[in-house]
Amino acid sequence: MHSTSEPSDEPSEAGAAPVRVWHYDGESGLRYQPQFETEGTSFRLTERDRVWGPFAFADLVSRDAIDGDAIFGLKNRPGWRIGFSGGVPADIAAHLPGAVRYGGFIDRFGLWQSVAVCAVLAALTVFVVLRSPAVVARMVPPSVEQRLGDLMVGDLGNRACNAPAGMAALTKMVRRIDPGDRPIEVRVVHMPIVNAVTLPGGKIVIFDELIEKAASADEVTGVLAHEIGHVEHRDVMESLLRQLGLSVLLGGLDGNIGGYTNSLLSATYSRGAEQRADDFAREQMGKAKVSPLATAQFFRRLSGKTDVKGAAKMLNYFSSHPMSSDRAAQFTAAAKGRTDFTPTLTPEEWGSLRTICSADADQKESGFRF
């Protein structure tokens, strides 16, 4: 766009008095000496019959001063520059962006002071992350947890029991206590341990020795509901991180999987995690109309075991599921006023679950241990 009028040094009606600037348009490489004329929230540059603009003041970007000249660029226009020799007149300065100091905060605060502050903040961040397994556990992507759980289940070898009738009974029990779409997988594993363990990724393992020690399917259902509670609250990764630190994430997918599985077998959840899992179990049993009295009885019977050999086996369960004086009492209280409970399984189905390993033709005695 060109203008045929000669620019004037008189103040324009629309703004401040024109002032001479130098200018590069970012295209020709030539240095021009136009006048800078304001027009409300914009400005234009004029030199004889040449006019640049209008440009918005908001699009100007402050650049480093050179030899006392205040220099500005234009957004999205590489090479575009205007310079005010000797500084910017006061009536124009109010429209222009302030100068940006190189380094900003660091220059004003000091380099070494800034380094010290950043080092302290980094140390605090690492400390909080390493000391807060519950927070870190909830940051672990489900895909990573799922992969770790698959590897840990695979580490159990061929000990999973698959007798058809027993599997059908187990499936019925799982659906009874957890009818939703929660992504869990429950297996019975043939090992002489009175225990149940939750692995990452919603994998739950019940060792057949625990089933053999149970007096009814409802007792096993209570234990299963408790383990599902740990899945619901993602307590497993918290437990692993609490015991093994970040090594479980940094090396877990190709590291000592057997060691991690063994750690979970002897893990002790926090008091809060155990209480949440118990609360979840009682709630689910109430919804499923499964009596919590059986679970209370199971806890009391295990804690009262007296023979030495049996007591050693029972310790496997209590090492990972610490008892408190009121846990059994809480399950007993949950049954108060209820008369609508029904057994989880029929006697025939319970018999099939108890023999799920002995009826599995592929199961053979071995000395397998973690």
Side-chain angles (χ1 to χ4, degrees):
M1 168 179 174
H2 298 282
S3 171
T4 57
S5 62
E6 189 72 20
S8 171
D9 288 334
E10 295 298 323
S12 65
E13 295 181 359
V19 62
R20 189 73 64 181
V21 297
W22 54 258
H23 173 55
Y24 290 96
D25 63 9
E27 297 177 359
S28 64
L30 298 176
R31 180 181 171 115
Y32 299 97
Q33 299 289 330
Q35 288 201 107
F36 183 97
E37 301 176 356
T38 64
E39 298 177 339
T41 59
S42 62
F43 66 93
R44 64 177 180 170
L45 306 172
T46 63
E47 186 181 40
R48 297 185 177 87
D49 63 344
R50 185 184 296 271
V51 177
W52 294 271
F55 305 105
F57 282 111
D59 289 336
L60 286 176
V61 180
S62 179
R63 302 298 185 188
D64 292 336
I66 299 178
D67 296 331
D69 290 0
I71 302 173
F72 298 86
L74 193 66
K75 293 179 181 178
N76 303 318
R77 291 286 294 274
W80 192 100
R81 293 290 187 275
I82 58 172
F84 294 83
S85 299
V88 183
D91 53 353
I92 295 177
H95 298 286
L96 302 178
V100 178
R101 294 183 57 182
Y102 177 76
F105 168 80
I106 292 178
D107 275 354
R108 291 191 295 273
F109 190 62
L111 175 61
W112 292 111
Q113 292 90 332
S114 299
V115 169
V117 169
C118 291
V120 171
L121 291 176
L124 287 174
T125 300
V126 172
F127 176 83
V128 170
V129 169
L130 293 179
R131 296 292 182 178
S132 303
V135 176
V136 179
R138 282 148 184 78
M139 296 168 58
V140 177
S143 59
V144 173
E145 188 174 346
Q146 183 71 40
R147 175 62 175 158
L148 185 58
D150 290 340
L151 291 173
M152 293 173 76
V153 168
D155 193 60
L156 292 171
N158 62 348
R159 308 298 293 182
C161 305
N162 297 291
M167 286 297 295
L170 180 63
T171 299
K172 179 180 177 180
M173 176 181 289
V174 173
R175 290 178 178 172
R176 173 79 179 271
I177 198 62
D178 189 43
D181 57 355
R182 193 174 284 104
I184 61 173
E185 178 184 344
V186 184
R187 301 303 303 270
V188 176
V189 169
H190 178 47
M191 289 184 66
I193 298 177
V194 180
N195 209 346
V197 61
T198 301
L199 305 178
K203 306 291 193 297
I204 298 175
V205 172
I206 302 175
F207 297 104
D208 65 331
E209 187 85 3
L210 184 144
I211 295 176
E212 290 180 11
K213 298 298 181 183
S216 70
D218 289 353
E219 293 184 356
V220 179
T221 301
V223 172
L224 175 59
H226 179 93
E227 297 302 324
I228 295 175
H230 286 312
V231 174
E232 175 72 9
H233 299 109
R234 299 193 72 181
D235 295 328
V236 184
M237 290 305 303
E238 177 183 348
S239 177
L240 280 174
L241 289 168
R242 194 179 299 279
Q243 293 183 85
L244 304 172
L246 293 180
S247 63
V248 70
L249 297 180
L250 298 177
L253 297 184
D254 56 2
N256 183 19
I257 299 299
Y260 298 155
T261 309
N262 190 54
S263 294
L264 281 179
L265 279 174
S266 59
T268 300
Y269 290 111
S270 68
R271 183 181 297 274
E274 286 293 337
Q275 185 63 57
R276 288 193 302 270
D278 274 356
D279 292 344
F280 179 88
R282 288 191 296 271
E283 180 181 356
Q284 291 298 104
M285 295 178 80
K287 291 178 180 179
K289 299 181 180 180
V290 175
S291 175
L293 293 175
T295 305
Q297 180 183 2
F298 183 56
F299 288 154
R300 291 192 182 98
R301 190 169 65 258
L302 293 188
S303 61
K305 193 71 177 179
T306 55
D307 71 273
V308 176
K309 183 178 180 181
K313 290 182 179 181
M314 298 306 158
L315 288 176
N316 287 302
Y317 187 84
F318 293 121
S319 66
S320 56
H321 300 78
M323 292 291 291
S324 65
S325 59
D326 63 346
R327 285 184 74 185
Q330 289 175 353
F331 276 88
T332 300
K336 186 176 181 179
R338 296 285 299 267
T339 59
D340 56 345
F341 297 127
T342 58
T344 305
L345 302 176
T346 66
E348 294 75 16
E349 291 167 336
W350 172 230
S352 296
L353 183 59
R354 287 177 60 85
T355 59
I356 187 173
C357 292
S358 60
D360 187 347
D362 294 331
Q363 277 301 325
K364 296 179 174 59
E365 292 296 329
S366 73
F368 178 83
R369 293 293 186 273
F370 289 115

